[in-house]
Amino acid sequence: MVDRVPMWWEWSESGVLSTFCLNLVRVLSVGEMFAAYGADPERARMLPGAEADALYPMAAGGALLRVGQLDGWTFCFEDREAEGLKPGVLARLCEHSEVVHLFHAAGMTVVERLENGRRLESFEPDRHQPPKGSGPHELHNAVRAELRNPQASSTTVSALKAVARYAGTEVRWETLTGPLQTSYLPDAQRESLASTPPTPGGSAPLADLGQYLGTLDVPQSTEEAESLRDGWTLG
């Protein structure tokens, strides 16, 4: 249980990042994580955050994958146009493991948990709607409990706190900005957002894993965020 209040979720409301995507996966190697994203593990380099940003500036587009390991979990963090929210990536990550997925852009936060090819829960903390997925809805219940706290500062912080407690580990800001295995996916090598998830094992479609519809452009206003959020199909 993560009971103290570390810095790791405070950056989510500091304004330092307008968007991020975090996937935590149990019992997966760093190489397997890169491969699930469509990146060549052999081309990954250990880079601190500032050097990675200098080599692959945000203005150039593409996806910058930052991968590390903590307490039995392998994580991939992105702070620009995200690859880790795509149905195909999530399908590969959860084929034989558990995935905790958190995506945030202006005005929108999405939390999902997937395991062994199934979506267990999917929800937006700021929307008073039942979670989608076959359950159990452990993260949804934990986030709702956080939001009932009179001192809760934001839905994104509440989601990050719930994820930290569920995973029993913290992805701290100094970890994200420090040296991590890093790979860059140019736009030409990225998967289509609207593509159907590949089938694990080559059989039936991935159970209960829907597809996202819309654009990967980061919303620049509340109106754009609402439009993007309303265009997603999570079920």
Side-chain angles (χ1 to χ4, degrees):
M1 184 70 72
V2 182
D3 289 320
R4 62 189 184 279
V5 181
M7 290 292 292
W8 94 278
W9 46 67
E10 293 180 4
W11 49 260
S12 69
E13 60 178 0
S14 68
V16 68
L17 296 177
S18 61
T19 184
F20 66 86
C21 181
L22 173 67
N23 282 333
L24 290 159
V25 189
R26 288 192 193 270
V27 198
L28 203 70
S29 71
V30 169
E32 289 170 329
M33 177 73 89
F34 280 123
Y37 277 74
D40 183 355
E42 298 299 322
R43 298 178 66 87
R45 302 168 59 189
M46 183 68 77
L47 295 172
E51 187 173 346
D53 286 337
L55 287 172
Y56 309 109
M58 191 174 294
L64 185 63
L65 313 175
R66 303 268 291 155
V67 175
Q69 293 182 306
L70 290 169
D71 301 323
W73 296 84
T74 301
F75 69 88
C76 183
F77 184 82
E78 303 173 82
D79 63 357
R80 52 188 71 183
E81 292 187 3
E83 195 73 5
L85 55 75
K86 294 182 176 178
V89 174
L90 290 172
R92 290 187 289 271
L93 289 175
C94 78
E95 183 176 358
H96 301 296
S97 189
E98 180 183 11
V99 177
V100 174
H101 166 77
L102 197 154
F103 172 76
H104 171 77
M108 176 179 63
T109 299
V110 177
V111 181
E112 296 193 311
R113 191 165 60 90
L114 311 100
E115 187 172 14
N116 297 330
R118 294 193 63 84
R119 172 184 277 120
L120 302 181
E121 52 185 323
S122 175
F123 62 96
E124 295 177 55
D126 60 344
R127 289 201 164 188
H128 297 285
Q129 297 175 345
K132 298 183 179 181
S134 59
H137 301 147
E138 297 183 40
L139 284 178
H140 179 264
N141 295 338
V143 173
R144 301 313 302 174
E146 287 285 347
L147 290 172
R148 286 193 293 270
N149 185 337
Q151 297 181 343
S153 54
S154 74
T155 55
T156 306
V157 169
S158 295
L160 282 165
K161 285 184 177 181
V163 167
R165 291 189 171 98
Y166 178 82
T169 193
E170 307 155 12
V171 186
R172 290 176 169 269
W173 182 245
E174 55 264 34
T175 301
L176 298 177
T177 57
L180 288 172
Q181 290 289 340
T182 304
S183 186
Y184 173 72
L185 274 179
D187 287 334
Q189 296 180 22
R190 299 177 65 194
E191 197 166 294
S192 170
L193 182 66
S195 63
T196 301
T199 303
S203 55
L206 183 64
D208 200 30
L209 183 56
Q211 65 185 38
Y212 292 105
L213 304 176
T215 174
L216 274 178
D217 293 337
V218 176
Q220 300 299 317
S221 67
T222 302
E223 290 78 10
E224 289 179 357
E226 287 292 332
S227 176
L228 176 59
R229 179 173 61 185
D230 291 340
W232 297 47
T233 300
L234 293 176

